[in-house]
Amino acid sequence: MPILINDRPVDVPDDPRVTLLDLVRERLHLTGTKKGCNQGACGACTMLVDGERIVSCLALAVQYEGRHVTTIEGLGDAHGLHPLQQAFVEHDGFQCGYCTPGQICSGVAMAAEFERGLPSHVSDDLDGDLELTREEIAERMSGNLCRCGAHNGILDALAATYLPGHDQAYEPSRPEVVA
């Protein structure tokens, strides 16, 4: 049974050591997903499998036989960008752009996790009455690192997409200075 990558059937590699990331980048030439740390720590290689986010550098392709994999190339369609991709453009959610595909895939999955009622480490109410806030978004996206300084633009894009009426610029809280 093939792997469905962006709705395209792809044969499982004969070599069971091939990662999903290498299958997508090296064999299918879908180079949007990036290889960052290659240790599962940075999130640059985040893809969606059956709608859930995974770090593809640690995922063996053979594990995903018969599953639906979506890369950054599979998020938009013939009519345009995914709303989160468009928000990244509008809110300057990228500088060098290296982490952007993983950030966007992770953001799409983050919103779905919230909709399913999954709490995060900063959720106040664990009984299912969750409120998506900027703090929640930041916590839920903490597995995706940005090294060039576009973090505020990333949070702005996520807030504009998933927090209706909250598309203003991010203002980090500052501790009160006591003299």
Side-chain angles (χ1 to χ4, degrees):
M1 184 178 304
I3 304 169
L4 286 175
I5 299 179
N6 299 333
D7 294 324
R8 175 181 154 207
V10 175
D11 289 331
V12 175
D14 292 332
D15 185 346
R17 299 170 297 172
V18 174
T19 66
L20 188 56
L21 176 61
D22 287 339
L23 173 66
V24 166
R25 287 186 55 82
E26 312 280 323
R27 298 186 185 187
L28 301 180
H29 306 289
L30 297 172
T31 56
T33 305
K34 304 298 186 238
K35 184 180 280 193
C37 67
N38 208 30
Q39 298 176 0
C42 74
C45 67
T46 302
M47 292 180 195
L48 305 175
V49 175
D50 298 330
E52 295 186 11
R53 54 186 159 175
I54 65 157
V55 285
S56 61
C57 69
L58 297 181
L60 297 175
V62 297
Q63 296 173 283
Y64 297 94
E65 183 176 12
R67 312 263 315 260
H68 294 270
V69 175
T70 304
T71 68
I72 190 68
E73 292 90 350
L75 282 181
D77 60 25
H79 303 292
L81 298 173
H82 182 280
L84 185 55
Q85 289 172 312
Q86 185 62 45
F88 264 67
V89 172
E90 293 170 2
H91 294 273
D92 204 20
F94 51 87
Q95 190 169 357
C96 77
Y98 200 83
C99 72
T100 304
Q103 296 275 1
I104 291 172
C105 284
S106 190
V108 169
M110 177 270 312
E113 291 164 5
F114 178 81
E115 288 298 317
R116 288 195 313 270
L118 299 177
S120 77
H121 291 291
V122 298
S123 297
D124 289 330
D125 184 359
L126 301 180
D127 293 327
D129 190 23
L130 301 175
E131 179 184 359
L132 191 60
T133 62
R134 291 186 86 89
E135 183 182 28
E136 277 281 342
I137 289 172
E139 171 61 27
R140 290 169 183 269
M141 293 296 294
S142 64
N144 289 77
L145 306 178
C146 173
R147 292 180 176 95
C148 69
H151 187 72
N152 289 342
I154 292 166
L155 288 179
D156 289 343
L158 288 158
T161 305
Y162 299 117
L163 297 178
H166 290 86
D167 61 354
Q168 66 272 15
Y170 175 61
E171 294 287 335
S173 61
R174 304 239 189 295
E176 186 177 323
V177 177
V178 179

